[in-house]
Every structure is written in C-alpha cells, then in structure tokens.
Amino acid sequence: MTAGDTNDRLDDEDYPAYSMGRAAEILGTTQGFLRAIGEARLITPLRSAGGHRRYSRYQLRIAARARELVDQGTPIEAACRIIIL
C-alpha cells in the first residue's frame, strides 16, 4: 500500500475511518445514540477485524441529521424513519 492509496481512502466519504468513540465525539453525542440509530437501521456501520463499529463520513452526516431532529424533540425512531423516507 502506498501513501497515495491511504490518501485516496481518506478522501472517500464511504471509507469507515471513524471508531464509535471518535464518531460520537465528532457528533457531540453518545455511543448509545449511535447504537440506537444502528438498531433502527438508519445506518449500518462496518465492523473492524476485532468487531468494533467503524463509521464513514457519509454515515456521520446522516447521524448528524438524526441528532438535529432528536434535539428538536422528535423521537429517535421517528427521526430515523423521516430520514429514510
């Protein structure tokens, strides 16, 4: 693997570059929130070889929208359905 290959992956918005902890930190939310939107099938994180959830930038954008709706008082299940539609 070359440095160019690594940079290409980091530029790919679908590359699962973020751990659950880092994703929660970026979004300003809890890991439980990420698990909940995963259970609601809004996003499906990829798993590392060790079984840890990994999120892409695209998934973080979707999660951020869900968080906005939840912060406005929308129940999490309803927020996920709204975004899916």
Side-chain angles (χ1 to χ4, degrees), residues 33-45 59 62 66 76-77 79-81 83-85:
F33 176 81
L34 291 172
R35 281 190 289 276
I37 63 174
E39 289 170 9
R41 298 185 183 189
L42 178 61
I43 59 175
T44 303
Q59 290 172 323
I62 293 170
I76 195 163
E77 298 83 11
C80 291
R81 277 189 240 123
I83 293 168
I84 289 168
L85 293 175

Side-chain angles (χ1 to χ4, degrees), residues 3-85:
D5 293 337
T6 301
N7 288 337
D8 289 344
R9 280 203 247 158
L10 293 175
D11 288 339
D12 181 359
E13 71 174 18
D14 293 319
Y15 180 70
Y18 302 98
S19 67
M20 177 181 267
R22 182 69 180 127
E25 183 181 315
I26 290 169
L27 295 171
T29 191
T30 64
Q31 293 180 15
F33 176 81
L34 291 172
R35 281 190 289 276
I37 63 174
E39 289 170 9
R41 298 185 183 189
L42 178 61
I43 59 175
T44 303
L46 291 164
R47 297 283 181 150
S48 69
H52 300 281
R53 291 173 179 89
R54 305 289 296 184
Y55 297 89
S56 68
R57 287 186 298 161
Y58 175 73
Q59 290 172 323
L60 294 185
R61 279 201 312 275
I62 293 170
R65 179 63 183 132
R67 177 158 185 240
E68 289 173 8
L69 291 171
V70 169
D71 287 350
Q72 293 170 4
T74 306
I76 195 163
E77 298 83 11
C80 291
R81 277 189 240 123
I82 288 167
I83 293 168
I84 289 168
L85 293 175

